[in-house]
Amino acid sequence: MATTQARLTTATVKADMLRPPRSLWTDAWYQFRRHRLAMAGLAVLSFLIVATVVGPYFWPIRIDTLDYTIALQGPSADHPFGTDNLGRDIFARALWGGRVSIAVGLSAVFIAITLGTLVGALAGYFNKLDNPLMRLTDLFLSLPILPLLLIVIYLFRDVLRAAFGPEVGIFIMIVTVIGLLEWMPVARLVRAQFLSLKQKEFVEAARAIGDPDLAIIWRHILPNTLSPVLVAATIGVGGAILTESTLSFLGLGFPPDVPTWGRLLYDAQNFIDIATHWVVFPGFLIFVTVLSINYIGDGLRDALDPRKT
Amino acid sequence: MESSYVRRGFALAVTATMALAACTQQPAASPAPSASATPVAQRGAGGELKILYWQAPTILNAHQATGTKDNDASRLVLEPLASWDKNGQALANGLAAEIPTVANGGVAKDFTSVTWKLRTGVKWSDGTPFTADDVVGTYTYMCDEKTAASTVDVCEGVKSVTAKDPNTAVVTYSPAQPFYFQWGVGFNTPIIQKAQYANCLGVKAKDCPADLKPIGTGPYKVNTFKPGDVVQYDLNENFRDPNKPFFKTVTLKGGGDAASAARAVFQTGDVDYAWNLQVEASVLKPMAASSTTGRLLTSYASSVERLLVNFSNPDASLGDKRGEPDTKHPFFTDIHVRRALAMATDRASVASQLYGDGLTGKATCNILTAPTAMESKNSDSFDICKFDLNAANKELDDAGWAKGSDNVRAKGGQKLKILYQTTVNSVRQSTQAIMKSNWEKVGFQVELKSVPASTFFTNTSPDGANHFWADVEMFTNSGDPNPTGYFRGWTCKTATGKANNWNGSNYNRYCNPDFDKVVDQMAVEADQAKLAQLAIQANDILIKDVVIIPLINRVAPTPDGVSKALKGIDVSGWDSVMYNIADWSK
Amino acid sequence: MGRYIARRLLIAVPTLIVISFVIYAILALAPIDPLSQFGADPRVPAEVRERIRESLGLNQPWPIRYVKWMTSMFRGDFGVSFMSHSSVGDLIAQRLPNTLAVVGVAYVFGVLMGIPVGMISAIKRYSIFDHAATTVAFMGFSVPTFFTGLLLIIIFGIKLRWFPFIYSSTTQVHDLDSFVFQIRQSIMPITVLGLFNVATIARYVRSEMLEHLPLDYVRTARGKGLMERLVVLRHVLRNSLIPVVTLVALGVPTVFGGAIVTEQIFRVPGIGELLVTSISNGDIPVVATVVFIFAVLVVTFNLLADLLYAVLDPRIRYT
């Protein structure tokens, strides 16, 4: 790996001489664009984001319009995703709820990954921090989640509601809670990679030429731990979207009338055989979202892989 | 996720006593069912009876029950002296040979004592004879405060229970108790074996192996019990009726969810009895209608799903004073606002869309729906019982609540913003959606909140029904044959708050001296007809004053699914569904 | 190495004490209430509630209760459940076999299947197999397990009637018939959980193998004329195992913790189900014990993982 690192450096040096300087990121973007599946994923995800953000303003049916006469109807021209048991338009609800679900999924995973990587990197790199940080991880892994969540609701819900208003307050709380529940596996994965990588020659070389620790962590080791982190992230997004709706059953999530994708799925569960459309569409949306994120992750990993220039 | 039913059966057990304190119900005696009335079944001919509960029993001693599941699972083994039948009358299908009355000399004329003649020749499942000493032993156990039995409140006012002879037990009340069946009837007084519980009295009661395998006189005995999972019963060879029970074994499995329990009884016929199938009517109805294997039990009593209107101020900025009985709600103190809310309540749609119009519940505008003689007929003509958005709008317009640009009404800077809470349950969340949709049409702004049942029904949680730190809340509750105790839950002195650690039963913090007077009269009224009149009067005050907005009279005790082949079930809304399991057959 | 193990074991004791204290504090401070079951009826008098509370020892301050609990734990006494009056040890013993038979088997299945699936996906990247595995895996991540469970119940339990969907914990395996029944009743929950485990592990193995496949040492090995299969198994897989070991070590304690949703759907009376009902019943002795055993397993298996790292990558040295 030391050699790859060296090769990268020489390659960059040569490139510098031939054309205007290209940063790691422009280079990565160049690589990324050549990854067809990743570009497809990016396109789909962007489409979903734009559709859920802008869509509700153009779709004529409100999310809470009740019409019992058309309850539990399958997809039609008026209601492309069909209706639920109170005759509400599932398409309108899926559009509206999608922005919440996507936002929660992405932000919660971002928090979990950042926190996990930070803890894992520090523990893996600095021997002195390893024990305390890993015992802290053990503690977090052992905590009883349900009672803990109940405490969090108890202590912070009203505070956050008062500080940020009901919606933003709940959003912050949900995202933080999911992030705090999910960072530990990432920390253990990153630390394990660090333990292995920090003994390698290229790290020792960097140390020998006097690179500061943080630079070594950031520039040399971290990029090489990217692959498990990206997997954790892609799996995590789907998990976070579903966890959000579980939280609302604990009284921790959004009010029951916010139709997030997870919520739509839960509401539909008893109707799985008599109104299959109610299940299929939100499930499919979550699937498409996580799959696109996965392929983006795939492309990103390839693009950032120094060996692949 | 959790029960929407407020575990009605259990509620009954505890409420009974409260009502009893001063009521003067004269329960008529029903004759003991004669063996010749039903065709003679053969003991043990029936193989296995499979019962499915989506909440699993955790203890088999009903005195330590924490819910209906425990009472029901215990009832196969432990019997009371007599049961409550579906009309709220005592039924001698237990250990009593007959129902005591004033006429047969069993009840003292001054209502201070009841003499119970016990069946002779009854044996415990271990073969030892049952005597009046066991009745006394049960009293000693459950009425010792240190035992901390959940059934202890039926002991209130019971001076003693004594054995006159091995077949006669005497219950003495002080002061006189016109409701003399307080101790002995229904599932709050199952009789336990004195010998088995000799080492479980007082403080030792909470670590008592007998609770997991009680010896009883009932038709079945415990073979295996795994708390929170399954109970396997064998028939009790020593049961007093040589022809019963019909089934050789019974398996009561717990856990899972209501919807798949419904599938097990209606679609596959895997179980003979599935308890409390509380799922949306649009799911349950086609399942039950097309079923070749099962049918739905539908019987009504006094379970009412209702909306409570808060009279205190739940504003968090009040700090310590939040929701205290001496605070005033910012806009619900205006009767016009409450009336508008009631008129914008579409209970008919809730009944048809979510309860299948009689499948699991029917619309009602009464808070007391049973016994039949006590149900008000007046509410049909109340304007607030009719869903009428125009009338609601007019009511608010006339009272000076004007709509702002955001379509929310306000007066003097006070907006009509409502926080509406209930438990986590799909039917309830759909009900919330229907309410919100209509209320917003008349200018309320509605925020919904749902809380898990275990957090909702506790006096310790600020999200709970007891604290009621919201503007409107919704749950089910029920009265009992005598509704005095039920109505006492809206009197001034039962207002819940910090002072009583939120144990008061008046969550609304409603206080109306006129209403209190009616309840006080009920407490001393001996005449049934007059009692009924007072009950109707009390009901009408609460409805007209919009303290509560009743929505649905629900099937009681619970909407259960049973195998079409199963015979002998005769559900009583006032007792455990298992009260006559000895008579069940196929 | 020996010194490192000894030191870690020594640290484990205070770590677990701290963890147990935090756990107990959370349980004591969380708004879960053993009396909430009684709260269903608003008219349970205050005195009755207080008396029950007192009989459960709940009127003592929680630090005192913690010390009592901890000292009896050291004597091997897990206490008595509030709800069932049964010893907590018995409750766990009743449920552990079911959890192992379902969650444990599903986990082993997940590890055994996940590694080869991930390897093939990586070696044949963007082949039909890889795409199929990716699609199935992400369907698994997008749909909650209760849905997969429900779907299986409706198809195989109700429409086809192949498998029972009400798990019977009283089945004793003593002959072929009862063994077949045990398999029939476990097959749906195992499938639901197993697929999820396979998917997760396969994703990590695939990604890690992709990291290593283009590396120099692999090329060198290939260049030496080693058989492809040998290269993959001996070099690439071994070097890709560190994250897998981490994951497996993180997963074993969760096997003990049970699979809450799956257990509930199929009515498998496992530890997960016990934990959830005990939490909603406020049955603190049960919750505290289960969570504490879980914590012991977490600490133990993370230690094992650390030791395994050193075996897999001899360059890792602990000081």
Side-chain angles (χ1 to χ4, degrees):
Chain A
M1 207 172 276
T3 41
T4 24
Q5 207 69 21
R7 201 185 299 146
L8 172 72
T9 324
T10 33
T12 325
V13 171
K14 268 184 205 153
D16 280 351
M17 291 188 289
L18 296 174
R19 51 192 146 126
R22 225 168 49 168
S23 77
L24 176 71
W25 292 104
T26 28
D27 207 39
W29 173 236
Y30 176 73
Q31 284 293 334
F32 186 84
R33 272 189 313 190
R34 294 195 345 204
H35 197 293
R36 284 209 329 260
L37 281 165
M39 284 308 287
L42 192 65
V44 171
L45 187 68
S46 319
F47 173 76
L48 283 173
I49 292 175
V50 171
T52 52
V53 171
V54 183
Y57 297 106
F58 293 97
W59 188 246
I61 309 173
R62 279 168 49 109
I63 59 163
D64 52 359
T65 307
L66 308 181
D67 185 353
Y68 312 124
T69 57
I70 53 161
L72 294 177
Q73 282 184 357
S76 63
D78 285 348
H79 306 283
F81 285 5
T83 56
D84 69 6
N85 65 329
L86 299 177
R88 289 175 292 195
D89 180 52
I90 296 175
F91 185 69
R93 295 171 72 73
L95 273 185
W96 208 95
R99 54 171 112 174
V100 181
S101 287
I102 294 176
V104 166
L106 295 179
S107 335
V109 165
F110 178 77
I111 294 180
I113 297 293
T114 313
L115 197 61
T117 309
L118 185 71
V119 172
L122 293 177
Y125 190 81
F126 298 106
N127 285 334
K128 278 211 181 93
L129 289 177
D130 188 27
N131 213 343
L133 284 179
M134 281 303 109
R135 299 298 75 77
L136 184 76
T137 314
D138 285 351
L139 172 69
F140 268 85
L141 282 167
S142 320
L143 291 181
I145 293 170
L146 210 55
L148 187 66
L149 289 178
L150 293 175
I151 290 196
V152 170
I153 305 170
Y154 192 73
L155 294 180
F156 299 114
R157 191 190 43 209
D158 289 337
V159 179
L160 285 170
R161 257 181 68 123
F164 300 98
E167 265 147 39
V168 180
I170 291 173
F171 180 83
I172 292 177
M173 187 166 72
I174 290 175
V175 163
T176 318
V177 160
I178 300 178
L180 286 179
L181 291 179
E182 303 294 335
W183 64 268
M184 296 84 75
V186 181
R188 295 239 14 139
L189 285 166
V190 169
R191 165 181 172 268
Q193 299 286 67
F194 261 75
L195 288 178
S196 167
L197 290 169
K198 75 172 174 190
Q199 310 289 351
K200 301 224 161 146
E201 297 85 348
F202 70 90
V203 177
E204 268 159 27
R207 219 177 271 138
I209 59 169
D211 271 5
D213 285 337
L214 287 180
I216 295 174
I217 292 177
W218 181 248
R219 221 177 296 144
H220 298 293
I221 308 185
L222 210 51
N224 287 298
T225 63
L226 204 60
S227 87
V229 171
L230 281 174
V231 177
T234 50
I235 294 179
V237 173
I241 290 176
L242 297 177
T243 308
E244 174 277 315
S245 49
T246 321
L247 292 182
S248 75
F249 288 97
L250 298 173
L252 179 64
F254 291 100
D257 53 337
V258 176
T260 62
W261 290 346
R263 181 92 212 178
L264 286 174
L265 269 182
Y266 276 95
D267 286 348
Q269 60 173 310
N270 288 341
F271 297 85
I272 188 167
D273 50 350
I274 57 175
T276 315
H277 63 272
W278 191 357
V279 180
V280 168
F281 289 110
F284 183 73
L285 287 172
I286 301 179
F287 170 67
V288 171
T289 308
V290 264
L291 198 65
S292 344
I293 292 171
N294 168 63
Y295 282 123
I296 296 171
D298 244 18
L300 212 60
R301 208 232 350 254
D302 286 356
L304 291 175
D305 191 336
R307 297 176 294 270
K308 275 216 164 175
T309 322
Chain B
M1 195 173 187
E2 245 300 299
S3 77
S4 79
Y5 271 71
V6 185
R7 300 172 189 94
R8 145 112 180 92
F10 185 67
L12 194 69
V14 200
T15 50
T17 54
M18 301 303 292
L20 308 178
C23 80
T24 326
Q25 197 187 2
Q26 301 280 353
S30 308
S34 56
S36 56
T38 43
V40 176
Q42 204 192 331
R43 169 178 282 191
E48 186 187 12
L49 174 68
K50 291 180 184 161
I51 300 175
L52 186 61
Y53 270 55
W54 53 262
Q55 280 187 331
T58 48
I59 201 159
L60 293 181
N61 171 8
H63 295 293
Q64 302 287 347
T66 52
T68 312
K69 60 197 169 61
D70 302 327
N71 282 304
D72 290 352
S74 163
R75 192 58 172 269
L76 279 76
V77 176
L78 300 176
E79 302 175 291
L81 297 175
S83 307
W84 289 115
D85 73 4
K86 59 182 165 188
N87 302 314
Q89 309 292 346
L91 173 76
N93 74 341
L95 291 165
E98 58 173 25
I99 299 298
T101 58
V102 180
N104 70 14
V107 178
K109 285 204 175 67
D110 59 357
F111 304 134
T112 53
S113 74
V114 186
T115 306
W116 288 91
K117 289 219 171 66
L118 306 175
R119 286 180 201 268
T120 50
V122 174
K123 280 182 180 158
W124 292 99
S125 60
D126 64 354
T128 57
F130 158 78
T131 69
D133 270 351
D134 293 307
V135 180
V136 177
T138 300
Y139 167 76
T140 318
Y141 169 83
M142 66 183 283
C143 294
D144 181 347
E145 293 199 345
K146 293 198 189 74
T147 302
S150 52
T151 49
V152 68
D153 20 339
V154 299
C155 298
E156 190 153 328
V158 181
K159 202 172 129 201
S160 68
V161 175
T162 52
K164 195 167 157 194
D165 62 57
N167 289 310
T168 313
V170 181
V171 180
T172 314
Y173 293 99
S174 173
Q177 172 54 287
F179 191 78
Y180 42 78
F181 289 152
Q182 174 184 328
W183 198 93
V185 183
F187 58 80
N188 34 24
T189 37
I191 304 302
I192 53 175
Q193 193 192 38
K194 189 182 177 187
Q196 196 192 13
Y197 276 86
N199 289 321
C200 293
L201 302 176
V203 287
K204 282 188 249 165
K206 74 176 160 93
D207 185 7
C208 175
D211 291 345
L212 300 174
K213 209 168 182 175
I215 295 167
T217 55
Y220 295 96
K221 61 181 183 188
V222 183
N223 174 324
T224 322
F225 174 41
K226 297 185 178 180
D229 172 18
V230 67
V231 198
Q232 284 184 309
Y233 307 88
D234 292 333
L235 75 78
N236 171 9
E237 298 88 354
N238 291 311
F239 188 58
R240 55 182 175 271
D241 186 333
N243 295 320
K244 289 171 182 173
F246 179 75
F247 297 99
K248 195 159 178 278
T249 58
V250 179
T251 304
L252 193 157
K253 168 81 180 173
D257 59 292
S260 70
R263 293 180 192 282
V265 73
F266 294 129
Q267 294 185 330
T268 64
D270 283 344
V271 297
D272 301 304
Y273 196 105
W275 171 78
N276 200 357
L277 305 177
Q278 36 137 323
V279 284
E280 292 89 342
S282 45
V283 175
L284 200 56
K285 204 168 204 165
M287 224 191 267
S290 65
S291 177
T292 53
T293 53
R295 65 194 171 92
L296 198 67
L297 291 180
T298 307
S299 74
Y300 287 97
S302 63
S303 280
V304 174
E305 175 90 349
R306 78 282 306 274
L307 298 167
L308 275 71
V309 177
N310 201 346
F311 281 74
S312 72
N313 190 348
D315 188 349
S317 65
L318 291 177
D320 264 8
K321 296 299 288 173
R322 184 179 191 185
E324 284 298 295
D326 55 352
T327 59
K328 290 271 170 274
H329 194 275
F331 50 84
F332 277 148
T333 39
D334 180 349
I335 174 76
H336 301 291
V337 177
R338 302 203 299 275
R339 282 172 49 81
L341 192 74
M343 287 189 279
T345 295
D346 185 7
R347 58 174 64 76
S349 294
V350 175
S352 62
Q353 298 304 312
L354 305 174
Y355 293 87
D357 265 338
L359 190 76
T360 56
K362 53 191 182 188
T364 183
C365 197
N366 284 324
I367 196 64
L368 186 71
T369 55
T372 327
M374 299 191 185
E375 187 178 10
S376 168
K377 307 277 182 293
N378 310 329
S379 51
D380 295 344
S381 61
F382 295 165
D383 55 350
I384 48 161
C385 287
K386 289 188 190 66
F387 173 55
D388 187 343
L389 293 176
N390 294 331
N393 269 316
K394 186 169 183 304
E395 183 92 21
L396 289 169
D397 285 339
D398 293 351
W401 294 89
K403 269 189 188 170
S405 55
D406 53 355
N407 248 347
V408 179
R409 288 180 188 271
K411 183 162 124 182
Q414 178 62 53
K415 281 190 170 189
L416 296 183
K417 276 171 75 174
I418 294 177
L419 178 64
Y420 169 18
Q421 68 177 16
T422 187
T423 65
V424 171
N425 170 283
S426 58
V427 177
R428 290 217 165 105
Q429 264 73 77
S430 293
T431 311
Q432 280 185 315
I434 293 177
M435 293 301 135
K436 176 173 172 159
S437 152
N438 289 313
W439 289 347
E440 294 202 329
K441 284 181 194 150
V442 298
F444 289 98
Q445 183 186 332
V446 183
E447 187 188 338
L448 303 181
K449 179 173 163 188
S450 61
V451 183
S454 56
T455 321
F456 192 70
F457 294 117
T458 167
N459 63 318
T460 54
S461 163
D463 288 330
N466 303 43
H467 279 65
F468 197 1
W469 285 351
D471 304 294
V472 175
E473 67 181 2
M474 177 170 76
F475 58 85
T476 289
N477 203 356
S478 54
D480 52 292
N482 184 300
T484 314
Y486 186 48
F487 281 125
R488 190 165 285 134
W490 285 280
T491 53
C492 300
K493 61 171 180 266
T494 57
T496 194
K498 218 185 178 94
N500 51 23
N501 200 21
W502 291 279
N503 274 314
S505 48
N506 180 356
Y507 302 167
N508 302 74
R509 291 101 169 178
Y510 174 64
C511 186
N512 176 356
D514 293 339
F515 178 80
D516 287 13
K517 258 180 231 155
V518 178
V519 177
D520 288 344
Q521 272 174 283
M522 287 178 77
V524 293
E525 185 51 69
D527 183 82
Q528 280 290 289
K530 282 183 188 157
L531 183 67
Q533 256 178 6
L534 289 167
I536 290 170
Q537 208 183 329
N539 175 79
D540 292 355
I541 293 176
L542 293 180
I543 304 305
K544 270 200 263 188
D545 216 5
V546 202
V547 182
I548 27 190
I549 306 174
L551 297 175
I552 301 292
N553 182 13
R554 303 178 66 171
V555 164
T558 45
D560 301 342
V562 293
S563 160
K564 284 187 170 161
L566 204 56
K567 292 187 292 244
I569 295 180
D570 189 18
V571 179
S572 162
W574 311 102
D575 207 332
S576 161
V577 288
M578 300 292 164
Y579 84 103
N580 74 337
I581 190 156
D583 304 333
W584 294 13
S585 67
K586 258 187 179 172
Chain C
M1 200 65 177
R3 272 191 60 192
Y4 176 73
I5 298 174
R7 216 182 40 159
R8 276 290 293 273
L9 286 176
L10 224 63
I11 295 174
V13 176
T15 309
L16 281 171
I17 290 180
V18 171
I19 290 178
S20 73
F21 184 77
V22 175
I23 290 171
Y24 207 90
I26 287 175
L27 294 182
L29 300 176
I32 55 174
D33 181 4
L35 300 184
S36 67
Q37 293 288 326
F38 299 96
D41 189 281
R43 281 160 292 179
V44 177
E47 315 88 69
V48 178
R49 285 169 190 272
E50 286 315 309
R51 228 172 282 138
I52 294 172
R53 201 177 286 280
E54 209 171 293
S55 78
L56 298 175
L58 287 173
N59 51 346
Q60 294 164 328
W62 70 264
I64 292 180
R65 282 188 279 143
Y66 166 73
V67 172
K68 281 187 176 168
W69 172 69
M70 217 38 214
T71 43
S72 68
M73 282 281 264
F74 275 121
R75 292 197 306 267
D77 173 12
F78 294 154
V80 175
S81 152
F82 287 167
M83 288 300 131
S84 72
H85 295 194
S86 162
S87 110
V88 176
D90 286 353
L91 286 178
I92 293 176
Q94 272 168 8
R95 277 147 185 275
L96 198 55
N98 304 320
T99 287
L100 293 180
V102 172
V103 190
V105 170
Y107 192 70
V108 172
F109 174 76
V111 175
L112 293 184
M113 287 287 294
I115 293 177
V117 169
M119 280 170 61
I120 300 173
S121 273
I123 297 168
K124 307 222 154 109
R125 195 185 185 192
Y126 297 146
S127 65
I128 293 174
F129 179 90
D130 181 31
H131 282 304
T134 306
T135 310
V136 173
F138 279 92
M139 275 161 72
F141 302 137
S142 328
V143 178
T145 42
F146 79 77
F147 245 106
T148 340
L150 213 54
L151 206 62
L152 290 187
I153 287 181
I154 287 177
I155 296 173
F156 297 103
I158 291 165
K159 296 277 183 302
L160 297 172
R161 309 262 171 110
W162 287 359
F163 309 119
F165 61 95
I166 298 172
Y167 190 92
S168 161
S169 64
T170 45
T171 307
Q172 310 247 334
V173 177
H174 48 73
D175 56 11
L176 189 67
D177 277 357
S178 55
F179 181 67
V180 170
F181 179 80
Q182 176 60 33
I183 291 184
R184 282 182 58 226
Q185 72 168 352
S186 337
I187 210 158
M188 289 199 290
I190 288 179
T191 310
V192 168
L193 289 172
L195 282 181
F196 191 83
N197 292 338
V198 172
T200 312
I201 290 180
R203 292 314 296 171
Y204 280 99
V205 171
R206 174 184 183 274
S207 137
E208 201 58 23
M209 297 263 301
L210 285 177
E211 270 302 91
H212 287 269
L213 277 172
L215 291 191
D216 298 341
Y217 73 88
V218 181
R219 275 185 226 154
T220 317
R222 280 206 195 103
K224 280 198 312 195
L226 277 180
M227 271 167 61
E228 183 69 21
R229 180 173 309 202
L230 218 61
V231 175
V232 170
L233 284 180
R234 195 177 289 168
H235 297 277
V236 184
L237 184 62
R238 185 189 164 117
N239 283 302
S240 311
L241 274 181
I242 285 188
V244 177
V245 164
T246 312
L247 277 180
V248 173
L250 288 170
V252 173
T254 59
V255 170
F256 169 79
I260 292 165
V261 176
T262 312
E263 285 179 6
Q264 205 144 26
I265 291 175
F266 294 98
R267 299 178 165 81
V268 180
I271 305 269
E273 208 268 341
L274 176 71
L275 188 62
V276 163
T277 44
S278 300
I279 288 171
S280 65
N281 288 336
D283 201 340
I284 292 174
V286 178
V287 183
T289 308
V290 171
V291 175
F292 183 68
I293 296 178
F294 182 78
V296 173
L297 291 175
V298 166
V299 171
T300 313
F301 277 89
N302 281 348
L303 171 58
L304 280 179
D306 284 351
L307 299 182
L308 265 176
Y309 296 158
V311 175
L312 288 172
D313 183 351
R315 271 178 303 196
I316 293 181
R317 281 180 303 266
Y318 297 106
T319 43

